[in-house]
Structures are given as C-alpha cells and as structure tokens.
Amino acid sequence: MDTEGTYDARGTGAERVPRPAGPPPAAPPPPPYAPRPRRPEAGGAGVEEWLRTPRPVREPGVWRYGHVPRPPEKPEGVSDRSLLVGVLISVLSGLLLWSLWRNGYIPYRLVPLKLFTPGDWWYAGTFGGPRTIEGADALTVYEAVLFGLLVYGCGRLGNWSEIFRRHVAGRGQPFLGLATAAGSALAELLVWKDAVPLVRPVLILVASVAGGEIYQSQTVVNVIYTLIALGVLWPFARLGHWRELIAARRGKGAAVPDAPAGPPDAPTPDQWPELREAGMRDAAEALTAEVRTGRMNDVDVARLRHAWRVGRGHPERLAALTEAVLRTGGAAALHPSGARDLTRRTVRHDLLTGQVRIGSCTEDPHNPYVRRGSGIALEPALLGTSLLAVGPPGAGKSARLVRPVVESLALQALAGRAAVLAVGGAGSDLGPDDAFDVVVRIGDPASVHDFDLYGGTTDPDEAASVLAEGLVGDVTHLDSRRAATVLAQLLGPYRAVHGHFPGVPALRELLDGDVAAIDALREALGAGGHQAMLRELEARTRQKGGAGDPGPVLADRIALLDRPAFAPFFATGEQARPFSLRSLGHLPLRVRIDLPERAHAEASRLLTRLVLAQFTAITAARTDRSLFVCLVLDDATHTVTAETVRGIRRLRSVNAGAVLALRTVDDVPEGLHTALLGAVGCCMAFSGVTTWDGKRFAEVWGKEWVETREVAQHAVFADQPFTRALHGLRKLVTGKAVTRDAVTVRRVERERWSASELAYQVPPGHAVLSLTTVEGEHAPPLLVTLDG
C-alpha cells in the first residue's frame, strides 16, 4: 500500500501479523482509484453540506453537528387562568369608565380641556358644555385622546401583550396571520361604525390644519378615508408579520442561515482553506473538485486533514502528500488496509469532531435546562478519561454503547487518528470481521492470528510483571510482585537458552517443578555460560515448596490455558505467529479478540485480565503518543485489579483510554470499588441497576445546592363577630377551614441522583451518564435516552 509517508510501519494485511520490529515488507502498488459514493454521518447530507454545517463548541458530551442552542429558560409567569381573568376585568373596567364618561357621571371631566381653550367656546360653570362649533370639535378630539389613553391603560393593567404572545403569537403562522386579520376586520368595523372615536377626530384635525375647503374635493376625502383604513390595518400587519407570511407563501421567505463572519471571498470549509493558506492551491483545488463531484466521503476528509496536520512538521511528508493528492485525489494517504470506509454503519458519526451520537438528554428535572433535548455524543477527549458502564444483562450496554464506540474508533482508525482493541466473547456483536484489521479468535482453529502472552516484550522482568497480573491479579491473598519474581526466575533463564519465552506447556512444567525440565534448563545454562541466569534458576529451586510460595497458584492458573482447545495458540519461537498489542502503539489498527467465554469462562477472564494489564503497560511506555489508543472490554467481570486501576488512572496522560462494561460493581473486588470509580472520568449507570450499585454512583456524583419551597397552612382566627360569621359560612360551603399559607424558601444540599432514583426511576432504554474531559471539564450526571 502506498501511504505517501503517512504511516511508517506496514504489514497489516490479512495474511500478515503486525509486528513491532523487523524490516518492512515491500509496499504493493496502490489500488486503482475509483469514485466512491458520498458517505457522511448518517443524516443523509452530502459531504459538501456536511463540511459546511456549523459545529459550535459546547459543553462536554453535546452532539455538536448542527447543534442549535436551546432558547433561554422563561421564568414561571402568570397562569393562563389569571391572564384571562385579568383581561376580562380590564375590559369590563374600561367599558364602565367609558360609559360613565360619555354619560357625564365623572365630575370635572372638561376642566383640563377648558384650561387650554378659549373661554367663549364653553358655557359658564364647571359642567357647562360647548357653546360653539369649535368647542364641540375640541371635545371630540379630547374624547378621542382620552379613549386612546384608556385603551392603553387597560391593556397594560390586563397584560394583553402577554396573552397575545402566549396564545396567538406562540402558535406561529398561519394562525398568527389569520388571528390578526380577524382583529383588523373587527377594528375596521368599530372604527367606521363610530364605536371607536377615530374618523371624526382625524377629519377635524385635518380641517384645522389645511382648512375646511379641502373637503370640497371628493378625491381628497377618499384619500383621507383610505389613509385612515390603512392606519388601522398597519399595527395588525406588524403584529401578524403579514409581509413575511406573504413572502413565504410565494416561496421567497426561506430562512437563510447566518453566514460566518469573515470577508465575502473567504473560502468555505469544503474549499480546504488551510491548504490555500499554506500555498498549496493546486492540492486544495483538486480536493475541492473531489468533494463537489461526490468522489470523497467523510473518512477521506478526516484522513487527509489529519495527514495535513501531521505533515506540517515534516516537509518531506508534506511534499509526498501533495504529490499523492494531485495524483489520486481523495485516495491519498490511505489506511494501511486500503479501506476507505466501513461496510455498514449503525449509528451517526461526525468525523470532523470525532464524535459518535449515542442518544439525547431527556426532558427531566434532573437535567439542566440547557441540556434537555440536546444530543449526547462520545469522543476521544472523553474516552481518554476512561468510561465505566454498569447495567444488568439486557440493559443495552453492548448494542447501545460498546458497539457504537468500537464503530467510531474503527472509523477514526481509517482516518489515521486512533487505534482500537475490542475484546468480547465469541459471538458478541462488536462489528463484522471486515471492520477489523486483525481478528484473534482464541480457541478457534480457523483463527489466522494467535495471541502473545508476553506482549511482544523481550525483557523477562517486564513480561513476568504483566503475566503475573493476568494470572493471579485477582487473588487477594497473593502479592502479584512475588508472583512476578517467580515468573522472572523462570522466564529469564529459559529465554537465555532458547532465545524466546516458553510456551504454555513448557511454562507449566517449570512452574510445577518438573525435575527433568529444570535439570535440562540447568545444564543448558551451564553449558552456555549464563551464570547470572543459573543463579536465578537455583534461587527458584530453593524457594519451591516454601511457605507462601506462589508457584503452585501460578501453575494452576497457567493450566487453564494448557487445554487441547488452546493447543495451537500461545506458541513462541520462530514458527509462532502471535499478535502483539505492542503494534497498537504506532499503527492505527482495528483489532478484535474473541474469547471462548461459554466453554472456558475462567480462562477467558484470565486472558481479559492479561489484555488489560498489557494494554496499560504498553500505552504508558510508548514514546509517540500522537495516536489515540482505546481498549473496549465488552465484559470486564473479574478483570480489574489494584495494579490495573493504577494503570487506568495513568491512561489520560498518555492519550489512551479504556471502556469497561460490568453487570454490577460487585464484579470488582470490594476493596477496589472506590479506587475504580475514582480512576475513571466517565460513569454510566443503565436502567435496572441495584440500589447497592446506585449508592456507589450517588457517592461519586456527590451533592448539589437546590432551592426548596415549604408551604405551611395556618388556621385564621377572627376576632370580630361579622368576620367569624363569614368564616363559618365559608367553611360550611367549602368544607374547609379558613387558612393562610406560610411559604419558606431554603437552600439545601441534596444528592444529584439518589440510590433509589437510579434503581427505580431510570426507564428502560435509558442511562444516567456523567462525563469528564482530559482537560478536566465536567458535565453533571444526565438522564439519557439511548437512541443511538
């Protein structure tokens, strides 16, 4: 495969086991380039639209692709019943006041008008009316102004604007347009029937300004009447957004998303602006054409963007990448397997952000308002702190969490940004075989690859430490350091003689203290002059059978792997073809290990512990940490040990992470419960957990300050006879004593999620998820519906 210098190691084909050392094989010619269909995230958008979709930076775990922030939370307002009563009272009060005004029951109603008009317009006295035509006209205008003030005051007192926003504008178009049109028709009727004083005051004001002769022209009168009618319609048209409604009906009102700020000629994301800024316009034009013609998918875009970021610090790689882009377009810098996509995707992915959507936040009071309804996604920045998922069988851990995470990491591996190791039982749905570069089926004779018990190391002490953790790490009364010493006393001499570590049968003989095997090894060491290793073997011989000797326990555990079903596996030497986890440290590999859980449950747990121990040791020792490496255990039962907990805690600092799925926290030794929950940054409790497990999660998630309202009802005792009579009548009618409410508001500290809530209030298909990024940013525990 031609990787244009992007990957330094090769040899990951179907017939070759990736190895950490050895000369690289000759690279075969690149596959012929052929157009590929568009394959962005599972939302149906093309690659060009997918690239242009905004991805705002939000809180940890928010699905950023096309995210629209939730509008601010509105404070609790007046109830609908109170609003309607207020409107009714204000209308009735306004009608009463206007009736009293028109019928002259309000005293001194004309005094303000008489103060600003000539006295000869009015009859003498406080209640004297207009004497002249000018006084009558002034009174008409005066009444019109007062009517407007009365309507405005009643509208403010009755909160008409709120009921309009809530029950008319809140229902949107076309109801808003139809309601305002009906209101405008009623207003026109009232105006022209002279129920609302508007026409006559306008005519009087126009005559006072332009003179009465203006009304001798019928055309002028018609224009004034038209202006009055339009003036009545104008506020209703503004409230009902008639202009936008008409434009939308004509197909001209489509919402146009706000363009990002920048110069008008700035290149869009699909035009590869980072390449243009670096002066690689030819490569940018070639990739832009690939995107617009549909010959690139989202994996190609993510892979080339990553290759560009890696190559910026290496001019020779950047030159090779540019040449490959001009030659093969979107097929440049291919993954060592030559694949450009997975054959099938089951969930939504966004490879620009590295996110995989697993669900969405529910409309639950436990969730913050801004997070309700938003998508929930996982990414390397979160998985780098490791994730612990707990839930009973059938809760959806494998299908709704493990499988999406493995699928996302496999896609990112094709983009050259990650390596994934998925471990599960044979038959578990972790993905099809063609979605992985290496598939190790332990116990299956048809498996192409074996498994290296020693993790590809050549150091006897390192191999002994990791192997001891896998063999006896779960034995509480045995110190794994003593077990590692025993193994080192045997592995070192054996490797000094044979050049490789012993296979399972040979190691079992040495741990059992087989006389013939020990004597043969002693003679070989003496003949080869390995005096230091001979002393190691003699020390092991003297310690055998002593008090607290871990040799018998190690022999019993290694015997679990010395079974006929495992005879072709775990071989060492020149003819062996084991797969070493050390390859994950420098290659974007997709690896799956199938364990024989049904037939060999204890051996499967031993191997899972060994894989976890090797993974933590290898990732911590690698020098190049640019590649994100993740281990996914579909079942971590009896896997976690004290040493692996310390290793998990170190993963976030070496750009690695682990996903551990458990049926219950009790599958971990009790002494490690607190340490494990403190070592992982992301915790997930599925529906159906027990109250015991819920208590542990409640302790991890802690408490928060909340505001509580306590309402106490106190009886009201009346002192006056009349008041007591009214209270007695009220009690007779309602059947309840007269009381008053005493409201107490306090701030108290409560658990975010209690043990009983986690056990009984999490619906099926849901989970409570808390998240932490590698930078230390936290997200509170959220109730999530797993619709991914």
Side-chain angles (χ1 to χ4, degrees), residues 375-705:
I376 289 293
L378 297 176
E379 56 184 305
L382 298 172
L383 298 178
T385 63
S386 298
L387 186 150
L388 177 66
V390 179
K397 299 188 300 297
S398 298
R400 301 184 179 186
L401 174 66
V402 174
R403 173 67 186 272
V405 169
V406 172
E407 187 175 290
S408 173
L409 293 171
L411 287 171
Q412 295 187 54
L414 293 180
R417 302 188 303 199
V420 58
L421 172 61
V423 182
S428 58
D429 188 17
L430 298 181
D433 292 351
D434 57 6
F436 297 92
D437 303 310
V438 176
V439 178
V440 181
R441 297 185 178 89
I442 298 178
D444 186 355
S447 177
V448 178
H449 303 283
D450 300 340
F451 181 72
D452 189 354
L453 293 178
Y454 305 101
T457 183
T458 58
D459 185 358
D461 293 325
E462 182 182 352
S465 176
V466 175
L467 184 58
E469 195 65 33
L471 292 177
V472 296
D474 61 330
V475 181
T476 56
H477 65 275
L478 182 61
D479 189 356
S480 60
R481 290 174 296 182
R482 293 191 60 188
T485 301
V486 171
L487 288 171
Q489 290 173 343
L490 297 175
L491 297 181
Y494 190 94
R495 178 173 175 78
V497 172
H498 299 281
H500 56 80
F501 292 122
V504 170
L507 181 58
R508 181 182 181 185
E509 290 179 352
L510 295 175
L511 290 173
D512 280 333
D514 184 77
V515 178
I518 294 293
D519 291 343
L521 183 57
R522 182 182 295 110
E523 293 177 2
L525 289 172
H530 303 287
Q531 297 301 319
M533 293 300 174
L534 184 58
R535 286 194 300 271
E536 286 282 293
L537 183 61
E538 293 298 340
R540 172 60 200 146
T541 305
R542 290 192 302 270
Q543 295 169 2
K544 181 180 181 299
D549 180 22
V553 180
L554 289 170
D556 291 341
R557 288 301 180 89
I558 202 67
L560 295 173
L561 303 181
D562 191 18
R563 306 297 302 162
F566 301 141
F569 292 86
F570 317 126
T572 58
E574 294 296 331
Q575 303 301 321
R577 297 176 56 85
F579 169 72
S580 171
L581 298 190
R582 202 166 295 271
S583 303
L584 295 171
H586 56 277
L587 289 174
L589 291 178
R590 302 165 295 164
V591 183
R592 192 187 76 204
I593 299 179
D594 295 341
L595 301 174
E597 289 184 345
R598 297 180 181 177
H600 304 276
E602 192 63 29
S604 298
R605 293 171 184 172
L606 186 153
L607 291 171
T608 306
R609 281 195 303 273
L610 183 59
V611 169
L612 180 57
Q614 288 187 6
F615 180 82
T616 56
I618 291 171
T619 53
R622 61 183 182 143
T623 56
D624 183 8
R625 297 172 180 175
S626 60
L627 193 70
F628 177 73
V629 184
C630 188
L631 169 66
V632 182
L633 298 182
D634 188 43
D635 185 6
T637 303
H638 301 296
T639 299
V640 179
T641 64
E643 185 60 33
T644 54
V645 168
R646 287 189 287 268
I648 290 173
R649 189 179 290 111
R650 292 192 298 264
L651 290 180
R652 70 174 65 188
S653 63
V654 295
N655 197 22
V659 178
L660 310 178
L662 292 171
R663 295 183 177 90
T664 173
V665 180
D666 289 332
D667 289 337
V668 177
E670 185 176 359
L672 297 177
H673 289 174
T674 303
L676 177 60
L677 290 171
V680 298
C682 305
C683 295
M684 196 169 186
F686 284 76
S687 61
V689 297
T690 63
T691 52
W692 291 272
D693 289 341
K695 180 180 179 181
R696 297 181 181 97
F697 280 108
E699 293 174 351
V700 171
W701 291 329
K703 300 179 180 181
E704 63 179 346
W705 288 98

Side-chain angles (χ1 to χ4, degrees), residues 183-184 187-188 191-192 198 227-237:
S184 65
E188 293 282 0
V191 166
W192 296 110
L198 180 62
L227 292 177
I228 293 174
L230 294 177
V232 173
L233 289 178
W234 180 77
F236 292 94

Side-chain angles (χ1 to χ4, degrees), residues 187-196 199 224-226 228-229 232:
E188 293 282 0
L189 178 64
L190 295 177
V191 166
W192 296 110
K193 289 292 184 180
D194 208 22
V196 174
V199 177
I224 294 175
Y225 285 165
T226 303
I228 293 174
V232 173

Side-chain angles (χ1 to χ4, degrees), residues 127-457:
F127 296 95
R131 175 187 296 178
T132 63
I133 296 177
E134 290 83 357
D137 292 341
L139 179 60
T140 301
V141 175
Y142 178 59
E143 289 182 342
V145 173
L146 291 180
F147 181 82
L149 294 176
L150 179 63
V151 171
Y152 176 78
C154 291
R156 291 296 300 270
L157 293 176
N159 208 357
W160 295 1
S161 59
E162 177 62 25
I163 200 169
F164 176 80
R165 284 193 297 267
R166 187 178 300 185
H167 295 286
V168 180
R171 300 182 63 175
Q173 300 287 10
F175 180 82
L176 175 60
L178 294 176
T180 51
S184 65
L186 178 61
E188 293 282 0
L189 178 64
L190 295 177
V191 166
W192 296 110
K193 289 292 184 180
D194 208 22
V196 174
L198 180 62
V199 177
R200 290 183 61 196
V202 170
L203 295 176
I204 291 172
L205 292 175
V206 171
S208 63
V209 174
E213 296 81 3
I214 193 174
Y215 293 121
Q216 296 179 359
S217 172
Q218 185 63 36
T219 303
V220 173
V221 173
N222 292 338
V223 169
I224 294 175
Y225 285 165
T226 303
L227 292 177
I228 293 174
L230 294 177
V232 173
L233 289 178
W234 180 77
F236 292 94
R238 289 290 303 273
L239 291 174
H241 302 287
W242 292 359
R243 183 177 180 182
E244 292 81 356
L245 179 62
I246 295 174
R249 292 295 180 182
R250 293 179 177 178
K252 300 179 181 179
V256 179
D258 295 336
D265 56 347
T268 55
D270 60 301
Q271 296 176 339
W272 302 82
E274 62 274 14
L275 297 184
R276 297 178 187 273
E277 293 177 1
M280 303 167 59
R281 297 189 61 86
D282 293 341
E285 292 292 345
L287 293 178
T288 301
E290 295 281 296
V291 170
R292 292 180 176 177
T293 56
R295 290 183 293 180
M296 286 182 67
N297 58 21
D298 55 346
V299 178
D300 296 331
V301 174
R303 185 184 67 252
L304 290 174
R305 283 175 177 262
H306 175 71
W308 158 250
R309 285 193 296 267
V310 173
R312 281 188 298 183
H314 304 81
E316 67 282 357
R317 291 188 181 183
L318 195 58
L321 177 62
T322 304
E323 180 184 355
V325 167
L326 295 176
R327 186 176 70 254
T328 59
L334 282 179
H335 183 265
S337 66
R340 297 175 62 180
D341 200 356
L342 300 179
T343 56
R344 179 173 177 265
R345 301 188 189 186
T346 59
V347 290
R348 299 181 63 184
H349 302 272
D350 183 25
L351 290 178
L352 282 189
T353 58
Q355 290 186 319
V356 53
R357 183 185 174 108
I358 62 172
S360 58
C361 289
T362 62
E363 296 285 342
D364 189 87
H366 287 90
N367 294 337
Y369 173 80
V370 295
R371 298 298 298 267
R372 297 174 192 172
S374 63
I376 289 293
L378 297 176
E379 56 184 305
L382 298 172
L383 298 178
T385 63
S386 298
L387 186 150
L388 177 66
V390 179
K397 299 188 300 297
S398 298
R400 301 184 179 186
L401 174 66
V402 174
R403 173 67 186 272
V405 169
V406 172
E407 187 175 290
S408 173
L409 293 171
L411 287 171
Q412 295 187 54
L414 293 180
R417 302 188 303 199
V420 58
L421 172 61
V423 182
S428 58
D429 188 17
L430 298 181
D433 292 351
D434 57 6
F436 297 92
D437 303 310
V438 176
V439 178
V440 181
R441 297 185 178 89
I442 298 178
D444 186 355
S447 177
V448 178
H449 303 283
D450 300 340
F451 181 72
D452 189 354
L453 293 178
Y454 305 101
T457 183

